Amino acid sequence: MKTKKLIAIALTVVMTLSIAGCTKKSKESTTTDTTSKKLVIWAWDGTFNVVAAKEAKAIYEKENAGVDVQIVEMAQDDIVQKLNTNLSSNTTEGLPNIVLIEDYRVQNFLTSYPDSFKDMSSKIKAADFMDYKLKSDSSNGKLYGVPFDSGVAALFYRTDLLKQAGYEKSDMENITWEKFIEIGKAVKAKTGKAMLTMDPNDLGILRIMMQSAGQWYVKEDGTTVNLENNEALKEGIKVYKQLMESGIVKQISDWDQFVGAFQKGEVASVPTGCWISSSIIKATDQSGKWAVAAIPKLGAVKSSVNASNIGGASWYVLDKVGDSELASDFLAKTFGTNKDLMNTLADKINLTSTLKASSTTENYQKSVEFYGGQKILQDLSKWTSEIPSVNYGLYTYTIEDILTGTVQSIVKDGADISTALKDAQKQAEAAAIN
Amino acid sequence: MKKIKSSFKYIFLSIVSIISIFPFIWMLISMTNKSVDVSRGSLIPGTYFLENMKNLFNSDLNFSMSLWNSGKIAIISTVLSLVVASFAGYGFEIYRNKVRDRIFNILLLSMMIPFAALMIPLFKMFSTFKFFGLNTMAAVIIPTISTAFLIFFFRQNTKSFPKDILEAGRIDGLNEIQIFTRIYVPTMKSTYAAAAIITFMSSWNNYMWPLIALQSPEKRTVPLIISTMGSSYSPDYGMIMAGIVIATLPTALVFFLMQKHFVAGMLGSVKG
Amino acid sequence: MPISKGLTYKKEAKPMKFLKKSKLSKNYDKFGWLFTIPSIVIIGSFVFYPMIQAFITSLKSGMGNNLRFVGIANYARLFTDNIFQKSVVNTLIYLVVQVPIMILLALFISVLLNDKNLKWKAFFRTAIFLPCVTSLVAYSVIFKSLFSNDGLMNKILLNLHLLNTPIEWITSPFWAKITIIIAITWRWTGYNMIFYLAGLQNIDPSIYEAAKIDGATSVKQFFSITVPLLKPIILFTTVMSTTGTLQLFDEVMNITKGGPGNATTTISQYIYNLSFKYTPNFGYAAAVSYTIVIMIVVLSLIQFKVAGDDK
């Protein structure tokens, strides 16, 4: 008995020591100190953002010997959560030098933790980037983010199915959502396929519609809730309702079903961000059967244009972590100016960059066989430059969670749009009190 | 009549067992398939097993490191929890007095506090520590080693511990600590085993606190890695399933080995 | 009857021995403290102290670090907060539907397994307990896949012709709740079953013999003998399950993400969203967390009163 207990105590002691030992080791490997020239980058998605970061790393390390860039893949939700917990406790231990943040969320961070991010205004030139990105990436006149990918919305569609329904490519150019529904009904009737998928939990399509008219959940100042009298939102919800009632929608509940639907040929179109392209072209058996048109606009709203955005992110430097000068230099030399990097990424991950110069590079001039020879990067780039600029403000996800309930009540329970939006406005204003 | 009743029993239990095991079987099948097939819900084993394993262990996420991290944390947590909780359970029961009973009841209240409420204050607290601060294994372990549930568990089991033996020990000249280590501990093996299973499982599967407390990627535990793998734009389901199966093995193993003790230990906790 | 001593220890019939000990044990008191202080300190520091901190935070409001004192404004806001109310309703629905089903199911299974003559007992027991060893993240991923619109669940049901059209397990507000309830029940029934099994082994089989001779059916035996004798354990597991369900988070977070349209959101998930998904308002989040604490305490007290115990 005694020996058993002794062994147990010894084990515990050994383990306790090893914890302490781990503490020491960890301190060495994670403190991003200025002497060893190490940079840590956090990004989500191993097939897109992380690949981009790796390319940037390769370029920079070649030019700058002695710099070690470490890229860590982490789920976006986890990154957001860690940034919030750390920054709110004024702790920088373990934070990366550079972090990718989605455009919809950025204002939250820049406003909540004003001193935590590095001002990049002197490192990169705002004029080098597409206009609409500058709004989300700046705060109080200073540019904090290095714009990365364009979430330009586009209408990807199956030319063969549309032809079967009696529509040519020219019929798909610069249409309205109302026309889109009409076309969808014909497609359903003649081919039996749904026109698009929709996820009742995801109001992405409403965001596209709002931004196409230069509107958002909040007004220009970024804090005043704008739901009740938001014409674009109202019209958007009307269209949303029509879509759901038209019988042309295939309902899905998550990302994999979304991708599965068009990869399996179950839908005739995908109106969403350009980043979906890499998933579309994975279905190699459908090569040559796809084309890309401008995103439809809201026919009933005068200010709506055939250009909008959904998603997109930018790179930010955490000012109080390690060598922020080195970090900002890294970004400036790669995503900030390097159009060759953009060229490589256009090929590798189908990136539509928001660096203006990228549209002049080689890969952007290519005709893509999958899309019937269309020079899609050219088109996507052109539409990116037309995206109406909007201040995403502080409450995007808060308001959206409120709105999913509102939209459901309108679509499924037949509630009156104006009344429902009025109620949502009140809810959002209460939630926006900070 | 008896035969019908008896066959009903078997049928019902079989159905329940199948429902319980089915997801595991599906997991095992899925880890041999390509991601696409897994999403399609295929029930046919494929030939992708080695490929999935290769991808899993070669991934940048360093799955093997996370197994090692989880293992270290779980074992240390379990050992420390057993020590602290058994001490407490023994102390509250054998040396009963009104004051300590009241304290015990207050401690029980701690079981009713949702972790969501403690997250941020705990985080802030640990961010101020110089030693055992954030991002250390200690930070992950310390808040978890004293759970009221485990103390309650040990206390309940101690009730059926024959107090006369303690008297005998005292008469023999043993001091209180020796009584604990030489008499109590050996007698309560089943209790310790059951408690070990519960604690190990809870620590191994813990998600939220390690997520918040750990910062460096190389310290991540298994649930964090699985979560990251599952939230990419196009997750490789075959690989994820392989990861989940491997992640479940230690807890399943611990349970299998300690089964008998487990039930005996639970029995002790409900004896009057 | 050994089981009648039950789980309550306060009114235990051991006064004599107790008195005897206290006469000798003025000395032993310090050992009492020695053994219990570590746990008291740890729980005090890492549960109660943060709780007090959280309460102070709940009296503040603001974005991220910019918190300012607002008194009980956060608590007042709870009454007009639509999403909060929905999350409470959802959480209570899970509680009222899932816990009783699971407890009854676990009881029933354990009674069946308690039969001496049952073959393959170990297999059944292990199989039914197995779900408890999976991590919440892991099984959520699995359930999400199995219950998706094109998933295996629907495929099987369609093939067996039990359905004509696939059920929208995750995209329908009604079915999504059912999916969550199925998931939780699958995961935790075995856990409760083990407790009951242990308790059942304490019951003297001669009681059942006597009852059978008196002509009682199995059903009657179940309700008049088994349930009353297991009352303390049932109470214990019910309180634990209630506490667990009121704090429900991982499943909802990973399987339905609270959707569709907040149809499955729970209070814990709302707290998470308030802290991390939206503009972080840690003050309000703290206030919401206190509502869970209050609910748990109130419900537990009610359950104890109803069962006739006082704790």
Side-chain angles (χ1 to χ4, degrees), chain C residues 37-91:
Chain C
I37 290 265
S39 61
I40 298 176
V41 166
I42 294 180
I43 295 186
S45 324
F46 298 107
V47 178
F48 289 112
Y49 179 64
M51 256 337 254
I52 300 175
Q53 290 249 300
F55 182 70
I56 299 177
T57 310
S58 76
L59 300 175
K60 301 188 188 158
S61 181
M63 254 189 299
N65 282 331
N66 314 324
L67 288 171
R68 54 179 202 290
F69 190 73
V70 292
I72 58 168
N74 284 330
Y75 291 97
R77 181 176 153 192
L78 291 171
F79 289 102
T80 53
D81 184 341
N82 235 356
I83 300 189
F84 172 68
Q85 286 157 4
K86 249 196 205 156
S87 70
V88 171
V89 167
N90 290 340
T91 310

Side-chain angles (χ1 to χ4, degrees), chain C residues 126-137:
Chain C
T126 311
I128 302 177
F129 185 74
L130 206 54
C132 305
V133 308
T134 56
S135 87
L136 293 169
V137 175

Side-chain angles (χ1 to χ4, degrees), chain A residues 80-81 84-85 87-88 90 105 108 113 201 251-253 257 394-395 397-398 401-402 404 408 427 430-431 434, chain C residues 62-63 65 68 77 80 82-83 148-149 168 171 173 256 259-262 273 276-282:
Chain A
V80 170
Q81 194 245 58
N84 271 322
T85 28
L87 295 178
S88 70
N90 289 316
R105 295 189 195 272
N108 277 0
Y113 315 107
N201 238 0
Q251 269 213 12
I252 46 119
S253 65
Q257 290 168 35
L394 300 177
Y395 311 114
Y397 285 101
T398 316
D401 267 8
I402 296 175
T404 40
Q408 269 229 341
Q427 290 289 315
N434 264 307
Chain C
M63 254 189 299
N65 282 331
R68 54 179 202 290
R77 181 176 153 192
T80 53
N82 235 356
I83 300 189
S148 68
N149 286 354
E168 297 178 358
T171 46
T256 60
N262 298 322
N273 286 347
F276 304 118
K277 187 178 170 193
Y278 310 153
T279 319
N281 186 345
F282 298 120

